[in-house]
Amino acid sequence: MKPFLDRLDPPVYVVTVEVGGERAGCLVGFASQCSIRPFRFVVWLSKANHTFRVARSARRLAVHLLGRDQQALAELFGGETGDSVDGSGRRLDKFAHAAWTAGPGGVPLLDGVPAWFVGRVAERTDAGDHVGFLLDPVASESAGRSVGHAGEPLRLSDVNHIAPGHPVD
């Protein structure tokens, strides 16, 4: 299976969520449109990360497409974890290091990304170490410009140097 997977280079996304005043977000490599009618999209969140624990009770998630020039956002949301605490016991707030605004239902929307959508969580599917969140889009926006460097989205090969905030088995 590895030779097959090594040939793929999908876009990566940042997924954000807010529940009861707690915000979380992570870099996601497993995501795809999965239905035409109705249009649906699925994102897979690792059970090991903080974002999953917040998202498991969420009604909405936001999915952000990053441009090739947005490595810093990928490193923040992929290489840091909301499980980290500082000397005073406060959790790392990734959103203190990124420009964002509140979207539908309070979901954090990252500023300056080429495109995003907010989806209502229609279903959750446990698939082992990840859970799939089936999303019905309720709002979206595109910056109306090219996605980034050479009009390309940020891809898995662009971020494979980022050490994940949580171990990957």
Side-chain angles (χ1 to χ4, degrees):
M1 189 66 178
K2 187 160 172 30
F4 177 84
L5 295 176
D6 286 346
R7 296 182 68 93
L8 303 179
D9 196 16
V12 293
Y13 307 89
V14 171
V15 172
T16 60
V17 61
E18 186 277 336
V19 174
E22 183 174 11
R23 293 183 303 267
C26 65
L27 189 67
V28 173
F30 304 149
S32 178
Q33 179 180 344
C34 59
S35 176
I36 296 170
R37 287 192 191 97
F39 180 87
R40 286 187 161 168
F41 197 89
V42 66
V43 295
W44 298 90
L45 300 180
S46 169
K47 292 178 184 178
N49 76 39
H50 178 250
T51 303
F52 166 73
R53 289 191 299 282
V54 176
R56 67 182 165 197
S57 61
R59 296 178 63 201
R60 294 177 185 88
L61 301 179
V63 180
H64 304 80
L65 182 65
L66 303 181
R68 299 267 317 264
D69 58 348
Q70 295 183 304
Q71 276 283 339
L73 272 177
E75 289 174 8
L76 174 62
F77 284 93
E80 301 293 336
T81 174
D83 287 329
S84 295
V85 292
D86 64 18
S88 63
R90 287 187 302 244
R91 285 190 188 275
L92 169 69
D93 181 4
K94 296 178 191 179
F95 297 93
H97 305 284
W100 65 278
T101 55
V107 176
L109 299 176
L110 299 175
D111 295 345
V113 297
W116 57 261
F117 80 91
V118 173
R120 182 186 61 80
V121 178
E123 194 173 309
R124 293 170 179 85
T125 302
D126 189 325
D129 60 359
H130 283 67
V131 170
F133 289 75
L134 181 64
L135 303 176
D136 288 328
V138 297
S140 67
E141 187 171 295
S142 175
R145 62 176 177 82
S146 66
V147 175
H149 174 73
E152 286 292 317
L154 193 66
R155 295 192 175 278
L156 192 57
S157 63
D158 298 320
V159 299
N160 61 10
H161 67 281
I162 299 173
H166 282 282
V168 178
D169 295 332

